Each structure stands twice: as C-alpha cells, then as structure tokens.
Amino acid sequence: NPRSDDALFVNFTINSTNAIGEPSFTEVGLVQVTPSGCHNHRDGANTAISKLNNDNDGRGVAIGYFGTTFIKFRLISIIGGNSNNIGNDAYSVVHEEILDEVFQNVDNVHFMLGSCSFASANDKPMALKHAKIVL
C-alpha cells in the first residue's frame, strides 16, 4: 500500500529533522474581547481550545493528508470591562482599543473569536482595519 509507506516515510522525515523527535506544529493565535458579563462565552472558548490542543496526545489538531503536522491554538481572552457600569459607548471604545493593541503587538493573531451578541458590533472595525477574520 503506497499510502502507508509514504506515511511512514513522511513521519520518519519529520521526526528526523526535529531535534527532539516530535512532529512539527504551527501555533495559530486567536483573540477574544468580551464584557465581564459574558463568562459563558469565555468559558466555551477556553474549553474548546483546551480540547483541541490536547487532541492527539497533546500535539493538537492534525492537518494534511498524512496528519503529521499539527496546529495548536493560542487563545488570548481579555475582559474589556463591565458595560453595565461604564455604559455601552465607553465599553465600545475600550473593546476596540484592546483589539487594536493586540493586533499591533502579537504577530500570530489572525483570528478573532466574536464577542457576546450585544457587543459583537465592536469587533468589526478592528477586523476591517487589520484584515482579520472574525469567527
């Protein structure tokens, strides 16, 4: 079976080029900014990322035809403040400023996990400005 032989060869090649003998992985950055009241939204993202990163004996999500390269996710989850205390207008400004800072200072963040429904409009301006994808 040529596929099995190729898979063994690819695995061997990847492992032989890695100094510690582990398959390679790529880290993908995600950012999420939410109001303080959106704990379920933050918990869900954290649970999902933890599960995905622990797949395949902690190597992350397998990708590619042979599944010998892996992706791990880095979640940056930030509480932007309490919109009930400071008001929606002030919260919107803070939300956008935080996203702007993250996109300017963290190189591998290309995706944004959308905020709670009522705060999700705050994601769009920075997604457009920095050409990022909102999930």
Side-chain angles (χ1 to χ4, degrees):
N1 181 344
R3 288 185 180 167
S4 294
D5 294 340
D6 288 345
L8 291 173
F9 176 72
V10 170
N11 261 333
F12 175 75
T13 302
I14 288 174
N15 286 335
S16 67
T17 59
N18 187 316
I20 56 175
E22 295 179 1
S24 65
F25 76 90
T26 298
E27 183 180 84
V28 176
L30 307 165
V31 64
Q32 174 187 51
V33 178
T34 58
S36 60
C38 294
H39 57 280
N40 287 339
H41 202 75
R42 287 188 302 278
D43 291 348
N46 191 46
T47 300
I49 298 304
S50 179
K51 188 262 184 246
L52 293 171
N53 285 347
N54 285 309
D55 280 354
N56 297 300
D57 297 319
R59 292 177 290 183
V61 178
I63 60 169
Y65 184 77
F66 298 113
T68 54
T69 300
F70 299 88
I71 293 177
K72 286 190 141 188
F73 297 95
R74 177 181 180 199
L75 175 62
I76 301 170
S77 184
I78 302 165
I79 299 172
N82 187 332
S83 56
N84 292 329
N85 287 345
I86 65 173
N88 288 333
D89 291 341
Y91 175 80
S92 295
V93 171
V94 170
H95 187 108
E96 290 178 25
E97 287 176 352
I98 290 170
L99 286 173
D100 196 31
E101 286 294 320
V102 169
F103 290 139
Q104 289 182 50
N105 293 296
V106 184
D107 292 337
N108 75 337
V109 175
H110 300 289
F111 301 94
M112 183 187 321
L113 296 181
S115 189
C116 295
S117 298
F118 66 88
S120 62
N122 301 321
D123 295 333
K124 186 176 180 179
M126 289 303 112
L128 293 172
K129 177 180 177 181
H130 295 279
K132 303 300 180 180
I133 298 171
V134 180
L135 303 174

